[in-house]
Amino acid sequence: MFVSDFRKEFYEVVQNQRVLLFVASDVDALCACKILQALFQCDHVQYTLVPVSGWQELETAFLEHKEQFHYFILINCGANVDLLDILQPDEDAIFFVCDTHRPVNVVNVYNDTQIKLLIKQDDDLEVPAYDDIFRDEEEGEEHSGNESDNGSEPSVKRTRLEEEIVAQTMKRRQRREWEARRRDILFDYEQYEYHGTSSAMVMFDLAWMMSKDLNDMLWWAIVGLTDQWVQDKITQMKYVTDIGILQRHVSRHNHRNEDEENSLSVDCTRISFDLPLKQVKQKFQSMDVSLKENLREMIEESANKFGMKDMRVQTFSIHFGFKHKFLASDVVFATMSLMESPEKDGSGTDNFIQALDSLSRSNLDKLYHGLELAKKQLRATQQTIASCLCTNLVISQGPFLYCSLMEGTPDIVLFSKPASLSLLSRHLLKSFVCSTKNRRCKLLPLVMAAPLSVEQGTVTVVGIPPETDSSDRKNFFGRAFEKAAEGTNSRTLHNHFDLSVIELKAEDRSKFLDALVSLLS
Amino acid sequence: MFCEKAMELVRELHRAPEGQLPAFNEDGLRQVLEEMKALYEQNQSDVNEVKSGGQSDLIPTIKFRHCSLLRNRRCTVAYLYDRLLRIRALRWEYGSILPNALRFHMSAEEMEWFNHYKKSLATYMRSLGGDGGLDITQDMKPPKSLYIEVRCLKDYGEFEVDDGTSVLLKKNSQHFLPRWKCEQLVRQGILEHVLS
């Protein structure tokens, strides 16, 4: 069920309990987690934090911890599947789910006791009505009445029997129709994946409602929202609306000309590149003053030369003291790179911890490290895109475009994780659309594959919706991948919370692709 | 020279850094007591001689031996008393159960004294702070916060918290727990205090 009063039905319920936090591995989840941690520390709520990067980890961690806790909070995972079915919890376990993944699974919506959704209902949810999906089991089959009537007149009995048969047939037919309609409704509802309001913003809203919001929390909310924009998870319009909401909070917290050590300011001219032009090697702050001032004109000139339209976007920056100034999107890239850096040991939790730490104000050195990694990542992305376009690696399979990175491509290890690969794919698609002459190809979505593990022979496959101006960012590849895998018995692993990212055995690649082509034609 | 042994006892304790309890030097103590006994007996016989014979040139020797006896006594008492003070500090450092190594360093009487002290302290603590008593051996300095955020550095397993329930300590999981519960594990290096 949807929680209406976050404070009464969520915060005050868990305030005197010990809770278990499951946090997914994306920047928005990290930011939401930081805000919630700050609130819990302020109110002395004992919690345990467990990072999870996929469904398997979630299940394992849940099994390990289920004896010790009654209250579980899931951040950016769990809304789009039948949680009770997957986790099989005890009856007194209560789950609070704060997740941007949509569509919200209908079981989660209509369960009144154990699942509480921390999701604002003014998000465009379009949940099907209860009666269209659930139907109480009516015990029909009243044959027992007939057998006992041996003594009555045969003709009356026969008529009654006929009537009963007719009634049964009608009921059965109605049931079949209802079930067919139900299948259609559910299919339409669950066909496209998309994302709702940032979890970090939801948490900040809770803090604000309780008048416990701080500047730091506001910054995390901004970073969470910016992460959604950087990863193209929300539409442009939604981003602008949400920025407006945050802008009001910023003005409330940070007055102009106030001599504070840290302040947030709105930076209206943030420039984004489709084809990254050149990497500024020096640190921005040590550049020549005149160069800095002319930077804007220089970039605009270059933009016009390349024929790019107005690229300005509203975002935020933050000052820590005199020296440290960061842009929200830079922080997003830094944190993402920290989280997905190729690590030495097996578990991804070390990276999660590093990334979580880097969001704290006292760990700026980690943030700088993340920025260096992010710069490397962006450079590698640019070079890979350039080489893909030069060598025509992007080919049309009919209903979609396909590109596969080969083992041995430089920096290939940077692209095996979902967020990095998605970023690469999106920019590749944008560049491809700009550079191709084929009109039909401009409207196609992209499927991208990159090697994941050489020993196990697996590749990561992501599906990206087509690149259009008015895109609603809805992605049908989740379901498409599932069906294609089922149909061909390919060995796939749908472990990521984003269903449009899967792992696949390299040997099954071609039959999987063929199935996908025929499915989508 | 007389009193050498007693000086050695004192020097041994002086050399041990604060907070450490060296082994109980039973041998040294016995030797000092034997020396004292010998001096006393010699004095005893000399005093009898002086009393009966009236030879007053033994009196300086007697006086000298008497001073040695006093010195020996002073040194042994200082030795024993300093050890007791150290044992008392152990209770505040380690709690009511001492590590085995330290227990072997104590004599039987010292052990008995320690138990008496423990009981005394426990009775006192129970009399404070209402029903449950107050454990004053926790938090020697006023704590900044009642709860701290800790991160688990190694897999530890289940760890019991307040009301009988337990927490699973897995590598890289973070927890927000009462400070006094975590202190021991932080000292052992299993948990790391996270300053945010």
Side-chain angles (χ1 to χ4, degrees):
Chain A
M1 57 177 280
F2 288 102
V3 168
S4 41
D5 185 341
F6 279 37
R7 177 195 222 163
K8 277 218 199 73
E9 297 173 46
F10 164 55
Y11 199 74
E12 290 181 2
V13 170
V14 299
Q15 208 169 356
N16 297 320
Q17 309 284 341
R18 288 172 41 237
V19 292
L20 183 57
L21 279 165
F22 288 115
V23 182
S25 301
D26 63 86
V27 180
D28 185 31
L30 282 180
C31 294
C33 170
K34 288 285 288 195
I35 298 179
L36 198 55
Q37 272 182 297
L39 286 175
F40 280 166
Q41 284 172 14
C42 176
D43 286 322
H44 294 316
V45 178
Q46 295 184 49
Y47 65 86
T48 295
L49 172 72
V50 177
V52 289
S53 58
W55 297 113
Q56 282 176 350
E57 276 104 39
L58 181 60
E59 285 174 53
T60 326
F62 181 73
L63 279 173
E64 287 171 353
H65 286 94
K66 64 190 259 199
E67 306 295 321
Q68 300 143 20
F69 293 93
H70 293 302
Y71 292 91
F72 302 88
I73 303 180
L74 281 78
I75 301 192
N76 271 4
C77 51
N80 50 351
V81 291
D82 187 351
L83 259 187
L84 297 180
D85 188 44
I86 288 196
L87 297 180
Q88 301 280 330
D90 298 330
E91 286 201 2
D92 54 354
I94 305 229
F95 296 88
F96 293 97
V97 181
C98 181
D99 189 356
T100 57
H101 289 100
R102 306 278 182 275
V104 184
N105 189 287
V106 288
V107 177
N108 292 345
V109 172
Y110 290 116
N111 177 304
D112 276 337
T113 47
Q114 289 186 273
I115 310 265
K116 318 265 182 201
L117 297 167
L118 298 174
I119 294 177
K120 292 253 161 42
Q121 277 190 272
D122 45 57
D123 271 349
D124 47 352
L125 291 170
E126 297 165 3
V127 181
Y130 181 82
D131 292 324
D132 286 339
I133 322 175
F134 297 105
R135 186 181 171 119
D136 298 322
E137 282 306 310
E138 300 152 14
E139 301 325 310
E141 316 310 307
E142 280 143 8
H143 285 304
S144 47
N146 303 353
E147 268 91 86
S148 51
D149 288 356
N150 280 328
S152 7
E153 299 141 34
S155 55
V156 177
K157 186 166 137 198
R158 207 177 316 142
T159 323
R160 218 172 334 131
L161 194 58
E162 279 172 6
E163 279 177 14
E164 291 227 16
I165 292 181
V166 167
Q168 295 282 346
T169 322
M170 281 296 302
K171 226 191 274 180
R172 268 202 287 271
R173 190 188 317 161
Q174 269 177 5
R175 192 183 182 80
R176 273 202 294 274
E177 285 174 0
W178 180 85
E179 280 180 359
R181 212 174 42 243
R182 173 181 187 270
R183 266 199 299 276
D184 285 337
I185 291 179
L186 278 182
F187 180 77
D188 284 336
Y189 180 61
E190 296 177 348
Q191 193 185 28
Y192 287 95
E193 264 193 310
Y194 57 105
H195 287 267
T197 310
S198 145
S199 301
M201 279 185 68
V202 170
M203 287 298 167
F204 179 76
D205 206 64
L206 171 67
W208 179 48
M209 254 201 291
M210 301 194 294
S211 300
K212 291 189 179 154
D213 56 327
L214 300 166
N215 231 4
D216 278 352
M217 293 188 197
L218 178 54
W219 175 242
W220 288 325
I222 290 174
V223 175
L225 173 64
T226 315
D227 172 60
Q228 284 197 315
W229 172 68
V230 162
Q231 298 203 37
D232 263 351
K233 287 187 177 167
I234 52 176
T235 61
Q236 189 73 357
M237 204 165 70
K238 180 154 177 64
Y239 176 69
V240 169
T241 323
D242 287 344
I243 283 275
I245 298 176
L246 289 178
Q247 166 68 54
R248 287 199 286 279
H249 287 294
V250 169
S251 323
R252 182 168 57 88
H253 274 272
N254 302 281
H255 307 289
R256 220 161 260 269
N257 298 328
E258 196 164 273
D259 206 28
E260 268 195 35
E261 211 183 62
N262 50 295
S263 58
L264 295 175
S265 58
V266 177
D267 194 345
C268 283
T269 57
R270 160 72 171 86
I271 314 230
S272 69
F273 294 93
D274 291 332
L275 297 166
L277 294 175
K278 62 181 177 195
Q279 300 296 328
V280 178
K281 291 281 166 65
Q282 283 173 302
K283 276 205 168 70
F284 185 71
Q285 56 220 73
S286 39
M287 271 165 69
D288 219 3
V289 177
S290 59
L291 205 59
K292 259 193 258 197
E293 279 164 17
N294 292 332
L295 190 62
R296 199 191 301 185
E297 279 113 53
M298 272 171 43
I299 294 181
E300 277 189 19
E301 268 178 48
S302 317
N304 287 331
K305 218 173 8 152
F306 281 96
M308 287 190 268
K309 303 189 291 283
D310 185 31
M311 300 178 298
R312 300 198 292 199
V313 140
Q314 209 182 11
T315 183
F316 293 93
S317 71
I318 190 171
H319 273 296
F320 292 124
F322 289 109
K323 205 165 57 128
H324 308 289
K325 183 169 183 188
F326 301 105
L327 217 52
S329 46
D330 293 343
V331 173
V332 167
F333 280 118
T335 318
M336 218 181 349
S337 306
L338 278 175
M339 202 146 49
E340 300 206 335
S341 72
E343 76 256 31
K344 291 134 262 171
D345 67 356
S347 76
T349 45
D350 280 337
N351 283 353
F352 181 91
I353 298 290
Q354 291 285 320
L356 191 67
D357 279 344
S358 76
L359 286 173
S360 282
R361 195 196 287 221
S362 47
N363 289 326
L364 287 181
D365 53 337
K366 293 207 177 141
L367 190 59
Y368 278 119
H369 177 56
L371 282 173
E372 293 303 312
L373 286 177
K375 280 195 226 167
K376 244 197 298 183
Q377 178 95 19
L378 286 176
R379 264 196 284 270
T381 309
Q382 181 219 344
Q383 281 163 358
T384 317
I385 293 180
S387 74
C388 279
L389 291 180
C390 280
T391 55
N392 285 329
L393 270 181
V394 181
I395 39 187
S396 163
Q397 296 279 357
F400 57 85
L401 298 166
Y402 176 69
C403 176
S404 168
L405 293 178
M406 285 299 134
E407 188 63 37
T409 319
D411 299 320
I412 192 70
V413 35
L414 290 175
F415 298 120
S416 53
K417 298 276 166 70
S420 324
L421 189 56
S422 306
L423 206 68
L424 172 68
S425 321
R426 243 171 296 114
H427 287 290
L428 177 59
L429 185 58
K430 285 194 190 132
S431 312
F432 179 77
V433 162
C434 281
S435 66
T436 186
K437 306 257 186 350
N438 187 331
R439 297 198 59 149
R440 213 181 70 82
C441 283
K442 292 199 200 236
L443 304 171
L444 292 179
L446 169 68
V447 172
M448 182 116 186
L452 173 63
S453 152
V454 187
E455 303 95 55
Q456 296 172 359
T458 49
V459 295
T460 313
V461 182
V462 306
I464 310 282
E467 177 63 32
T468 53
D469 280 337
S470 57
S471 157
D472 56 2
R473 305 280 184 266
K474 294 206 178 181
N475 190 335
F476 54 72
F477 278 109
R479 304 286 158 199
F481 283 166
E482 256 178 44
K483 287 226 180 72
E486 260 174 77
T488 56
N489 278 331
S490 311
R491 291 159 288 178
T492 54
L493 193 59
H494 300 257
N495 193 32
H496 295 288
F497 296 124
D498 274 329
L499 295 173
S500 55
V501 180
I502 61 167
E503 285 173 28
L504 172 70
K505 281 277 189 191
E507 301 154 346
D508 297 336
R509 205 197 322 225
S510 29
K511 61 177 177 179
F512 179 78
L513 275 180
D514 289 335
L516 205 57
V517 170
S518 51
L519 201 64
L520 296 175
S521 309
Chain B
M1 202 53 241
F2 297 136
C3 305
E4 283 282 350
K5 236 3 225 183
M7 272 309 294
E8 247 187 62
L9 285 180
V10 173
R11 241 184 255 125
E12 174 194 319
L13 217 45
H14 184 74
R15 245 180 267 132
E18 171 130 7
Q20 267 198 33
L21 187 72
F24 188 73
N25 197 341
E26 190 133 3
D27 266 351
L29 202 59
R30 193 171 31 83
Q31 284 173 10
V32 170
L33 290 176
E34 274 171 13
E35 187 183 284
M36 284 174 76
K37 186 152 169 245
L39 284 170
Y40 181 75
E41 276 165 4
Q42 284 166 358
N43 255 7
Q44 192 80 332
S45 60
D46 277 355
V47 160
N48 284 339
E49 254 193 60
V50 165
K51 263 215 207 122
S52 54
Q55 279 172 291
S56 48
D57 54 348
L58 283 176
I59 293 189
T61 328
I62 293 173
K63 274 216 167 102
F64 174 67
R65 281 203 208 97
H66 190 68
C67 284
S68 308
L69 279 169
L70 288 177
R71 182 121 180 97
N72 270 335
R73 185 180 73 180
R74 189 177 180 193
C75 288
T76 20
V77 171
Y79 177 74
L80 292 170
Y81 183 63
D82 192 72
R83 282 184 66 89
L84 285 183
L85 288 180
R86 287 176 195 235
I87 291 173
R88 185 176 72 175
L90 287 181
R91 166 64 182 91
W92 288 81
E93 169 77 22
Y94 287 101
S96 15
I97 317 273
L98 292 179
N100 278 333
L102 286 172
R103 251 189 274 175
F104 290 146
H105 285 188
M106 301 200 300
S107 71
E109 290 85 9
E110 287 179 329
M111 204 59 220
E112 207 185 306
W113 184 89
F114 181 72
N115 290 334
H116 280 306
Y117 179 71
K118 263 197 312 187
K119 222 184 285 183
S120 208
L121 185 62
T123 320
Y124 175 62
M125 289 201 288
R126 227 172 302 137
S127 70
L128 303 167
D131 266 336
L134 184 66
D135 189 355
I136 52 179
T137 58
Q138 303 285 345
D139 290 332
M140 297 300 286
K141 288 197 278 274
K144 287 271 164 68
S145 59
L146 288 174
Y147 291 82
I148 52 170
E149 170 117 11
V150 288
R151 179 174 301 159
C152 195
L153 297 173
K154 311 184 211 167
D155 277 333
Y156 178 77
E158 298 215 353
F159 177 57
E160 202 172 306
V161 194
D162 290 339
D163 40 358
T165 50
S166 52
V167 177
L168 180 69
L169 294 179
K170 258 203 119 169
K171 183 163 189 227
N172 280 334
S173 55
Q174 279 189 214
H175 309 268
F176 189 63
L177 297 171
R179 160 189 291 272
W180 59 279
K181 271 254 137 213
C182 311
E183 261 177 350
Q184 218 203 8
L185 287 179
V186 172
R187 234 183 282 154
Q188 287 177 13
I190 295 186
L191 293 179
E192 180 195 15
H193 184 23
V194 174
L195 309 139
S196 60

